[in-house]
Amino acid sequence: MFNNLTIYAEIDNSELIKEVSILFGVTIGLLLIVMILLILMIFFRNKKTWWTINRKSHVTVLTSSEKRMLSSLLSEAIIKLSESKIGALVTIERNMSLSQFIDLGIKIDSEVTPQLLQAIFLKESPLHDGAVIIRLGRIQCASTYFPLTNKKISSQYGSRHRAALGISEMTDSVSVVVSETTGQVSIARDGKFLQIENLNNLVRTLFDEMASTKEMTNQMQ
């Protein structure tokens, strides 16, 4: 009788171990599936974010009318800053992303208005040092910093000019600089400065810097 009970007990233990093993295997399998799904969700979300940032980082996404409006708003702000001899550095993202520098600055993500740009660069403003970055016709950040150029340039140029030249050497961005000493307006592009002698031409110059060849041709006709 005891032998029979022992046999039954062994059978029950064997079945229990088998059921526990199956349950454990199913649990591990479900956990692996959940982990894989989470990894895929994170991957595709990051990929979507990366794609969105890079797809939208190009100034070519803007229409001609949007570029003209942006040029006009920037020009109005720059002229007033120049007249008041308020130093400023505004960088327009073109085809190459400036995300790493946007992340270093103070996020704003606001429409471009002359009043806001003037307020940012007032000496009393905590954001007046560094650069403003414009992406897709919006002010993305203020008070960000660029690597300075290693080129030997005139002593009349300060750190803003060296930063503008530095970012123009690294990317295809366009930077507008206002000298706080003279009020002189310069544009940095491709490692070179373009001095704006007549501020009445600033709107056209900014548009040309952002526009495609086709848009420039249409503008001239």
Side-chain angles (χ1 to χ4, degrees), residues 38-62:
L38 286 173
I39 291 170
L40 287 174
M41 286 174 63
I42 293 170
F43 171 78
F44 284 112
R45 184 177 66 181
N46 289 341
K47 187 174 182 181
K48 182 180 179 181
T49 301
W50 177 90
W51 166 249
T52 301
I53 289 173
N54 284 273
R55 176 174 60 85
K56 291 187 175 181
S57 68
H58 309 307
V59 75
T60 52
V61 172
L62 298 177

Side-chain angles (χ1 to χ4, degrees), residues 120-133:
I120 287 173
F121 289 111
L122 286 173
K123 287 189 177 181
E124 295 78 12
S125 167
L127 304 178
H128 78 278
D129 279 334
V132 161
I133 293 179

